[in-house]
């Protein structure tokens, strides 16, 4: 589904002295079946932006189009199920949503709310627990006996189990070990290859460089830049104004260019970097 | 979730904000007491003027106070209607079964209504201009004499301020959990009573779990920073009684005298 924001403004506690702007006149298109990364500093409005997509919050003004659904300030709180079934959302700390007495039931909770039959939901739980890298033996455990990282995997499985077309991930790998985070990121990439739209909020620029095809930079409640990661990481203005930091490979390349290397465009992934270095050392 | 004005602090600055919280706390309760002395149009009018004047000098929009009435609306309506239709009278304007409408009833209903407004406005004024932590500090200070009878004043005050600190935290946590469950297809406030009650289980359990873990973390954090029993601790926030607080108390005495005068008038 194509997601289109049109002049969306959201203010928290509108019409009160405590009013704070979450989003300021944002227009943006997030393309179907792409892997889009959303980056920006803490408090810039990333979470506020994505919460609009499944109508957890509504715009103060403007409209959001999700497929053929339109969300406006007047959108009713009822009949949002079909929208939320199609737009799955993994929250910043998903482990705080677990509540059932077994992992299996917790994973089945979402699908069954969206009308899946019990046996299908069970089947789906079995598939998902393996997909997120835990064995079937975890299904009978209590979610509260798991470690933080395992809880997070269960929570992710619980969202994927409803088989959403669009998956929104709000810093899904914060606090996971390096191997775990790669596993989870690879999982999302695979889901995208199977035809889903992935929207990832992250502070990790390496993940952006390695996985995303499109990138959105949010700063002070506004969209500062949209485009391919390679182009955006080479945008001098964003970097000098301290709105964006670089992936490690690009930082490394920057340091190299103070020596005898030169990079017309900063490489953003390790493989791009090594290819460039190889070429400059052995080439010409 | 954030609509509850009663009990919420609003950052700002005015003479009312600067008053000593102990004084404000006592004055608020004192005022609620003397509201019950009012017995005629003039005395209620006088108190209403006083409250509106206080609201005015607090520099807070009157809208906040009116919003403060909202959570109590049903209680107010119920009480007022009760007075309106059930006040016995020898001279009813209208009569139907057990319902009677009379000028007496109307007057009493109006008084009750104003009484609600006075009490809610003045307590809203206290909570809007005083941080919860100031309120718990003043409770501690006011209860201090009870130490003589071995009442654990500092511990109670600490419990109170921790509890107050947890309120916004738990509200945030609840919103977060509700959002997460909504995204998994829960519809709050839909279906029959049983359905609605059931839809709260997915909120309450994570909420319990996280409040226990927050409390546990807090206890460890306090201990690791060397917290011991409250005895002999100095205070980070020192309350200071200034001349304006004496003036405020003086105003209350004046109000009482005027009220007693109008009342018997
Ligand atoms: N419930 C709320 N009430 C009031 N203001 C809020 C609320 N949630 C967020 N804000 C404000 O809106 C702005 C954007 O917040 P948001 O949560 O979207 O940031 P973010 O980019 O997701 O940050 P992070 O990287 O820390 O998750 C912040 O300035 C924040 O203070
Ligand atoms: Mg966020």
């Amino acid at each position: 589904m194509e997601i289109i924001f049109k002049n969306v403004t959201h203010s928290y506690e509108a019409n009160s002295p405590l009013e704070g702007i979450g989003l300021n006149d944002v227009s943006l298109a997030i393309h179907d079946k792409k892997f889009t990364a959303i980056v920006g500093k803490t408090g810039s409005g990333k979470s506020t932006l994505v919460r609009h997509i499944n109508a957890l919050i509504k715009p103060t003004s403007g409209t959001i189009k999700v497929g053929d659904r339109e969300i406006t300030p007047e959108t009713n709180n009822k009949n949002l199920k079909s929208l939320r079934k199609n737009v799955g959302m993994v929250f910043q700390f998903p482990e705080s949503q677990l509540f059932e007495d077994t992992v299996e039931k917790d994973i089945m909770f979402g699908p069954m709310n969206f009308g899946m039959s019990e046996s299908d939901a069970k089947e789906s739980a079995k598939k998902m627990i393996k997909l997120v890298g835990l064995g079937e033996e975890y299904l009978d455990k209590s979610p509260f006996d798991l470690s933080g990282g395992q809880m997070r995997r269960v929570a992710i499985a619980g969202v994927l189990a409803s088989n959403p077309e669009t998956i929104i991930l709000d810093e899904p790998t914060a606090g996971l070990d390096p191997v775990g985070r790669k596993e989870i990121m690879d999982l999302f990439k695979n889901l995208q290859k199977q035809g889903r739209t992935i929207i990832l909020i992250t502070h990790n620029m390496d993940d952006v460089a390695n996985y995303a095809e499109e990138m959105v930079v949010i700063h002070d409640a506004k969209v500062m830049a949209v485009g391919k990661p390679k182009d955006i990481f080479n945008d001098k203005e964003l970097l000098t104004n301290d709105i964006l930091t670089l992936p490690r490979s690009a930082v490394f390349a920057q340091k190299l260019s103070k020596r005898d290397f030169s990079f017309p465009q900063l490489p953003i992934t390790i493989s791009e970097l090594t290819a460039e270095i190889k070429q400059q050392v052995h080439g010409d | 979730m954030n609509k509850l004005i009663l009990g919420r602090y609003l950052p700002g600055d005015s003479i009312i904000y600067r008053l000593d919280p102990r004084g404000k706390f006592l004055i608020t309760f004192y005022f609620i007491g003397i509201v019950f002395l009012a017995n005629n149009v003039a005395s209620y009018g006088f108190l209403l003027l006083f409250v509106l004047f206080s609201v005015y000098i607090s520099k807070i929009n009157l809208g906040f106070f009116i919003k403060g009435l909202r959570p109590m609306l049903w209680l107010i309506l119920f009480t007022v209607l009760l007075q309106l239709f059930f006040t016995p009278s020898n001279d009813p304007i209208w009569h139907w079964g057990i319902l009677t409408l009379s000028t007496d009833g109307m007057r009493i209903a109006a008084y009750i209504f104003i009484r609600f407004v006075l009490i809610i406005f003045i307590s809203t004024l206290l909570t809007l201009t005083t941080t919860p932590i100031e309120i718990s500090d003043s409770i501690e200070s006011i209860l201090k004499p009870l130490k003589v009878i071995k009442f654990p004043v500092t511990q109670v005050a600490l419990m109170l301020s921790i509890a107050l600190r947890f309120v916004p935290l738990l509200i945030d946590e609840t919103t977060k959990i509700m959002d997460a469950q909504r995204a998994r297809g829960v519809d709050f406030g839909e279906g029959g009573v049983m359905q609605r009650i059931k839809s709260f289980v997915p909120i309450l359990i994570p909420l319990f779990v996280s409040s226990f873990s927050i409390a546990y973390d807090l206890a460890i954090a306090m201990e690791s920073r060397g917290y011991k029993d409250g005895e002999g601790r100095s205070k980070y926030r020192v309350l200071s009684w200034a001349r304006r607080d004496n003036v405020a108390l003086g105003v209350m005495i004046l109000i009482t005298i005027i009220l007693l005068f109008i009342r018997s008038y």
Side-chain angles (χ1 to χ4, degrees):
Chain A
M1 282 175 299
E2 185 96 356
I3 297 162
I4 298 167
F5 281 71
K6 214 170 150 200
N7 304 104
V8 174
T9 295
H10 182 90
S11 34
Y12 285 103
E13 327 240 350
N15 309 322
S16 91
L18 301 175
E19 178 162 348
I21 296 287
L23 281 184
N24 189 354
D25 194 21
V26 165
S27 297
L28 174 72
I30 296 174
H31 301 295
D32 196 22
K33 301 200 182 3
K34 292 271 186 202
F35 196 123
T36 304
I38 299 180
V39 304
K41 287 191 178 158
T42 285
S44 53
K46 305 179 295 294
S47 300
T48 308
L49 180 81
V50 296
R51 265 157 216 256
H52 281 91
I53 301 175
N54 62 357
L56 287 172
I57 53 179
K58 273 163 252 158
T60 313
S61 66
T63 57
I64 299 112
K65 261 178 120 167
V66 182
D68 42 21
R69 259 317 263 254
E70 207 172 45
I71 303 160
T72 63
E74 290 80 34
T75 296
N76 197 289
N77 268 333
K78 298 225 164 87
N79 308 321
L80 292 170
K81 260 193 189 174
S82 62
L83 172 70
R84 289 182 181 154
K85 181 183 177 319
N86 286 329
V87 183
M89 183 138 169
V90 176
F91 284 82
Q92 220 160 337
F93 294 102
E95 48 273 31
S96 64
Q97 71 185 36
L98 304 175
F99 73 98
E100 290 279 14
D101 51 353
T102 67
V103 167
E104 181 178 42
K105 280 196 208 159
D106 214 288
I107 300 178
M108 288 163 62
F109 179 70
M112 285 176 66
N113 277 330
F114 292 125
M116 203 185 271
S117 75
E118 189 164 344
S119 56
D120 286 355
K122 244 189 179 118
E123 205 52 46
S124 181
K126 229 182 227 170
K127 235 174 74 192
M128 291 305 150
I129 195 82
K130 277 187 261 173
L131 207 58
V132 296
L134 298 174
E136 254 179 63
E137 69 273 17
Y138 281 90
L139 287 176
D140 296 325
K141 294 198 176 178
S142 156
F144 299 107
D145 291 340
L146 304 179
S147 78
Q150 291 167 335
M151 281 189 189
R152 177 158 296 205
R153 287 165 194 255
V154 170
I156 292 173
V159 173
L160 299 183
S162 321
N163 201 12
E165 272 177 58
T166 302
I167 303 169
I168 302 173
L169 309 155
D170 197 342
E171 298 183 38
T173 57
L176 287 183
D177 61 280
V179 177
R181 93 182 285 132
K182 182 160 184 323
E183 275 173 26
I184 294 284
M185 289 302 302
D186 286 342
L187 162 65
F188 296 141
K189 191 71 195 174
N190 274 333
L191 288 170
Q192 185 219 348
K193 285 185 187 143
Q194 291 163 20
R196 293 184 178 87
T197 311
I198 305 278
I199 301 169
L200 168 78
I201 296 183
T202 184
H203 289 290
N204 187 314
M205 297 305 149
D206 290 319
D207 284 349
V208 177
N210 290 328
Y211 296 98
E213 296 156 301
E214 305 253 329
M215 178 174 179
V216 178
V217 183
I218 310 262
H219 185 70
D220 266 352
K222 285 191 170 147
V223 172
M224 296 299 284
V226 186
K228 299 218 167 354
K230 181 104 186 189
D231 300 334
I232 290 187
F233 285 127
N234 276 289
D235 184 327
K236 296 261 164 6
E237 207 165 311
L238 291 176
L239 296 171
T240 45
N241 291 337
D242 211 16
I243 293 172
L244 194 64
T245 54
L246 286 175
R248 279 181 305 173
S249 310
V251 174
F252 193 75
Q254 262 184 340
K255 286 185 180 153
L256 281 182
S257 54
K258 288 190 188 128
R259 305 281 175 108
D260 296 333
F261 291 85
S262 79
F263 299 94
Q265 276 219 312
L266 290 174
I268 58 173
T269 61
I270 303 241
S271 51
E272 278 178 33
L273 176 68
T274 44
E276 275 278 341
I277 295 177
K278 258 188 203 155
Q279 209 233 329
Q280 294 194 24
V281 173
H282 300 296
D284 40 57
Chain B
M1 199 44 84
N2 294 325
K3 299 290 182 307
L4 222 65
I5 291 298
L6 198 79
R8 198 171 76 164
Y9 175 71
L10 193 70
D13 187 29
S14 67
I15 174 92
I16 304 270
Y17 279 93
R18 286 191 293 267
L19 286 177
D20 188 292
R22 287 169 292 186
K24 265 192 278 188
F25 192 77
L26 288 178
I27 286 174
T28 303
F29 280 91
Y30 181 74
F31 185 84
I32 290 173
I34 61 173
V35 162
F36 293 91
L37 286 180
N39 64 347
N40 54 26
V41 180
S43 49
Y44 275 110
F46 173 65
L47 290 180
L48 198 60
L49 272 181
F50 170 74
V51 167
L52 290 178
F53 179 70
S54 313
V55 168
Y56 173 72
I57 61 170
S58 75
K59 296 195 191 151
I60 296 176
N61 194 328
L62 188 65
F64 277 100
F65 294 85
I66 293 170
K67 267 190 213 152
L69 289 176
R70 209 180 289 158
M72 308 285 274
L73 198 64
W74 289 111
L75 180 67
I76 297 175
L77 220 62
F78 177 73
T79 320
V80 166
L81 288 180
L82 210 65
Q83 293 296 338
L84 198 57
F85 290 113
F86 289 97
T87 304
S89 164
N90 306 328
D91 173 28
I93 301 175
W94 177 80
H95 194 86
W96 187 78
I98 48 167
L99 302 180
T100 34
L101 189 67
S102 64
T103 42
D104 270 352
M106 277 150 104
R107 207 188 51 215
I108 292 175
Y111 287 168
I112 294 270
F113 177 72
I114 294 175
R115 210 180 272 170
F116 268 115
V117 170
L118 290 172
I119 293 175
I120 291 172
F121 273 27
I122 201 82
S123 34
T124 308
L125 185 64
L126 173 72
T127 54
L128 284 179
T129 62
T130 321
T131 58
I133 211 75
E134 283 177 330
I135 292 184
S136 96
D137 281 352
S138 19
I139 292 176
E140 175 177 7
S141 173
I142 291 164
L143 291 183
K144 224 171 234 161
L146 291 183
K147 270 189 181 158
V148 181
I149 57 162
K150 296 261 161 58
F151 183 77
V153 176
T154 34
Q155 282 88 329
V156 169
L158 181 72
M159 275 161 57
L160 200 65
S161 52
I162 291 177
L164 287 172
R165 179 63 195 83
F166 265 56
V167 171
L169 222 58
L170 289 182
I171 290 179
D172 278 0
E173 199 63 32
T174 313
T175 333
K176 233 191 281 172
I177 295 168
M178 278 176 81
D179 275 355
Q181 307 301 26
R182 271 202 195 103
R184 291 209 286 169
V186 179
D187 265 323
F188 297 107
E190 209 172 70
V193 178
M194 271 324 279
Q195 185 70 38
R196 286 185 191 207
I197 293 175
K198 261 171 96 179
S199 73
F200 276 94
V201 175
I203 302 177
L204 287 182
I205 292 177
L207 196 58
F208 264 119
V209 172
S210 70
S211 27
F212 274 111
S213 87
I214 296 172
Y216 189 68
D217 289 348
L218 181 68
I220 290 186
M222 282 171 65
E223 272 181 8
S224 62
R225 285 195 280 172
Y227 177 81
K228 279 205 318 235
D229 207 338
E231 291 313 312
R233 291 177 69 85
S234 58
K235 290 237 145 222
Y236 175 60
R237 295 173 301 271
V238 181
L239 301 177
S240 64
W241 192 268
R243 217 180 59 171
R244 55 172 173 266
D245 299 304
N246 286 330
V247 173
L249 287 191
V251 169
M252 288 322 287
I253 296 175
L254 200 67
I255 297 265
T256 317
I257 295 171
I258 298 177
L259 191 64
L260 287 174
F261 179 71
I262 304 181
R263 187 183 138 84
S264 51
Y265 173 70

